[in-house]
Amino acid sequence: MVSKQGGGDSLSTPMMRQYLSMKERYRDEILFFRMGDFYEMFFDDARVASEILGIALTSRSKDRDAIPMAGVPIRSVDTYLPRLLKAGKRVAICEQVQDARDARGLVDREVVRVVSPGTITDERIIGEKSNNFIVSLVVPGKGLGLAWIDLSTGEFQVWEDARTGAAIAEVSRLSPAECVLPESLARGLDEHHALREVIDNVFLTPMPDWCFDADTARRTLTEHFGTRTLEGFGCEHMNAAVRAAGGLLHYLQETQKNALGHITRLRPHSGAAHMLLDPATRRALEITEKFRGGDREGTLLHCFDRTVTALGARRLRDWLLKPLVGVGDIRSRQEGVQALVDSGATLDSLREVLRGVHDLERICARISYGSANGRDLAALGTSLEALPAIAGIVGGLDCHFFAERVAAIDGFEELAARIGRTLVDSPPIPVREGGIIRDGFDAELDALRELSSEGTQWIARYQQEETERVGIPSLKVGFNRVFGYYIEVTNAHADRVPAHYIRKQTLKNAERYITPELKEFENRVLHARETAMEREYGIFCELRDAAGEHIPDVQLAARAVAEIDVIAAFAFLGRDRGYTRPIVDDSDVLSIEDGRHPVIETLLPSGEFVPNSIDLDSERPIVVITGPNMAGKSTYIRQVALLVLLAHTGSFVPAARARIGVVDRIFTRVGAADDIARGQSTFMVEMQETANILNNATRRSLLVLDEVGRGTSTFDGLSLAWAITEHITESLRARTLFATHYQELTELALTTPLVRNCTFQVKEWNDEIVFLRKVVDGATDKSYGIHVARLAGIPRGVIQRAREVLARLEAQAIDVHGRPAFAPPREPEDEADGEDGARRRALQLDLFQNANEPILQALKSADIDAMTPLEALNYLAELRRKLV
């Protein structure tokens, strides 16, 4: 709402009436009202913006009824817009839509676009390697319908799933900047706890429920795409997804005031074709951002991104967050990588040609918006010129992956040639000031330019003639946009100025004049210049419109180039870092020989990273990993998970050899933090993540567990860790890496053949230890935590006391056989008859039975009152003998 306090008669001016009319239609937005070279804001908009942006709050007058006013320069708008959006504001951009020369009185203005976090298209704000998604959600009862668009590229996808958790994980993967949802759902978000949690920090935009009505949404989509049904897109019967997509498209049409011509197709997202990575797993593995701080540097994406185009960089991020699960699709990508690795110098040639391809997706978006400039079209032309060379390189490889993509990058020769013929080699950014069109392209334009260029020679000749005629050696003929052409004479020669000179402007040390002859020349030349600029702009718009007709085909070519770039980046890494092609099949094997961490290896000097192996299958799918603090347990288990993930993207992996049976999901329980805002402790977060794993993992999943149970007391935590691991062995049998400091868990290997133990080697020498970083079979009996504390600088006295306490605890925590004495035997769910069942129960009793239990029972049952002193002493001696 506009607060009209103040203003007086100012409110009745034509300009303010025009402003108030606009503001009435955009009450909830900050209205940027174009006035010359500034966007001005008034009333409450000015007050709010001045506080958020830290700009001066002024007024249109100095009287008591002054109207509050604030403004930002148009050239700096990209600096201010993100700050307003971050503060939760939308901005309506009101432009002058009429040439001031054609206006009779007030210039016509219209709101040309409403900017919100999800509708930003400028890569200077969102980054050329990042997407900026706006999502839409509907919850039709069971499950969830989802649609998302990146306006900067035109990518439009839909998905629906009866598993709300899977759809919510997809929303998290997208990291949307804005979420559009029905008003009824926005009001009832408290009933959808998981959904509310994932969009808690997302800019929410409620829209009327009728926008998401099935018939309305379908009509919005079919009218936009010019089709009768959605069958051609493969989503005709995806009711919930179509509702979400129609509501989202309606919102964008309302706010962008644009035909959105670069949104040319709707693609159903196949959740079944990709590995689902929940938020906890993406954070723990630091795929695209660091666990703490959210930085990109040091992540898998940062260390793995060797793409050479913005298109490829965004596609790589997408592939890392959506690994494939189809063996055929994975092998297709691998074949592309292998073909380039084997091609020798061809790989380097391909990457060099790819460097010449600009961001075709975003160029298409700007063409659709009508905001593309000469440099954009020139970049389009040079990019299209590079496509035949790319097709020639990869088309010569015997590889199905490349053969499919070559077809998409063919057929742009005519458009590329037209752009090359039309535009100069380095067009200026402004499109209305001339200098864009190449000489010789248009005869009429050439004639106008020739007339205009004659002016330079005419001015030089005129200046010389006037200097000689009036006898003023410092006389100068010049030009500026405000006063046009002029003759400048310094005050020292004012007495020599001829009578027919007409004074035009007074300066501090000179006067400027005009003559009838100079005025006539000015009219002729300026008219030619203006006509030439108008002609150039018309030719440019024709070229831009012609390029717009090719947007769907250019977008397909851009997608193909992006995927070729990613495969080339995989090949480059595989060749230069000595990666190997993993065998990916439908087995249950997870075997990696001499694997290396793909991130840490790049951060350490060459040769310092110690490789390690893993070997799991259906017979022994679970490994319990123990070892000292700082030995590398967490690095090792993350390493295995990352190599599995990379194998599923089609990449080669840092290992000597690898065979990986397809994994449907990677689950991690690594690290923890309080979620104070929701009243959740570290341990609560830990248990929620563990519950998600136990409830959703399958036998095809990979579980990576690090220190489960450490967030509570020792006995509670150990009990939970034991029970969780037993559940995995008995119910899930998923491939599992369980790193723990609970050495007692190593006893599980004695109760089931599904579990084996591994530990990290250390070398002890004179109260010092050396971490060898090598995984070997077996279990550790020390954690060396006190040693690590000493290295961290804990005072000597504290260290000594800790050693004394540790010795006492260890003495009490184990039985005479050196086994844990902390839990009663587990009763089997069914009585297994026969020798095997008896042996298993006996083994469990042996593991958990208190070795001193018979002595305690004897003491409890002894009738001490009936014994003589000598009998009591003899009885006590006998019990002592049994203990020893």
Side-chain angles (χ1 to χ4, degrees), residues 251-299:
Y251 169 71
L252 294 177
Q253 290 171 338
E254 287 291 306
T255 59
Q256 302 310 291
K257 314 295 182 181
N258 182 285
L260 303 174
H262 65 304
I263 301 177
T264 59
R265 63 174 182 158
L266 181 62
R267 289 196 302 121
H269 171 70
S270 175
H274 300 94
M275 182 191 298
L276 182 62
L277 301 173
D278 59 35
T281 298
R282 295 198 310 275
R283 287 195 305 269
L285 298 184
E286 297 184 324
I287 299 172
T288 59
E289 59 183 38
K290 296 290 286 182
F291 187 82
R292 291 180 175 84
D295 296 334
R296 184 177 184 269
E297 188 171 351
T299 63

Side-chain angles (χ1 to χ4, degrees), residues 116-322:
S116 59
T119 61
I120 298 174
T121 58
D122 192 335
E123 61 261 37
R124 290 173 296 179
I125 299 175
I126 60 181
E128 65 173 11
K129 294 186 176 184
S130 302
N131 287 103
N132 190 54
F133 289 116
I134 178 171
V135 305
S136 176
L137 299 166
V138 296
V139 181
K142 184 179 181 181
L144 188 146
L146 176 63
W148 62 92
I149 290 178
D150 180 351
L151 266 183
S152 71
T153 65
E155 179 180 351
F156 191 7
Q157 294 191 61
V158 291
W159 188 40
E160 65 181 27
D161 202 300
R163 303 167 299 161
T164 303
I168 290 174
E170 188 67 17
V171 175
S172 176
R173 178 190 69 81
L174 293 167
S175 297
E178 185 175 357
C179 180
V180 177
L181 66 174
E183 289 176 339
S184 58
L185 177 57
R187 289 192 299 268
L189 268 181
D190 289 339
E191 301 174 10
H192 304 275
H193 304 293
L195 176 58
R196 184 177 185 85
E197 183 173 339
V198 80
I199 62 174
D200 191 42
N201 295 317
V202 178
F203 190 96
L204 294 183
T205 301
M207 290 286 288
D209 283 19
W210 62 263
C211 298
F212 301 87
D213 173 75
D215 292 337
T216 302
R218 195 174 303 275
R219 184 166 58 252
T220 300
L221 293 169
T222 53
E223 287 179 356
H224 172 80
F225 292 115
T227 60
R228 295 186 63 184
T229 70
L230 300 175
E231 289 283 0
F233 300 111
C235 55
E236 174 68 22
H237 304 294
M238 299 174 67
N239 186 62
V242 167
R243 288 175 54 194
L248 177 56
L249 186 60
H250 175 83
Y251 169 71
L252 294 177
Q253 290 171 338
E254 287 291 306
T255 59
Q256 302 310 291
K257 314 295 182 181
N258 182 285
L260 303 174
H262 65 304
I263 301 177
T264 59
R265 63 174 182 158
L266 181 62
R267 289 196 302 121
H269 171 70
S270 175
H274 300 94
M275 182 191 298
L276 182 62
L277 301 173
D278 59 35
T281 298
R282 295 198 310 275
R283 287 195 305 269
L285 298 184
E286 297 184 324
I287 299 172
T288 59
E289 59 183 38
K290 296 290 286 182
F291 187 82
R292 291 180 175 84
D295 296 334
R296 184 177 184 269
E297 188 171 351
T299 63
L300 177 66
L301 177 60
H302 175 254
C303 294
F304 223 70
D305 185 1
R306 293 299 178 270
T307 57
V308 295
T309 69
L311 298 165
R314 291 196 298 271
R315 185 67 63 223
L316 172 62
R317 185 182 190 277
D318 185 57
W319 282 12
L320 291 178
L321 292 176
K322 293 196 306 184

Side-chain angles (χ1 to χ4, degrees), residues 837-847 849:
R839 184 164 56 83
R840 177 174 176 272
R841 289 193 296 276
L843 183 59
Q844 285 184 329
L845 288 171
D846 185 50
L847 283 171
Q849 185 177 18

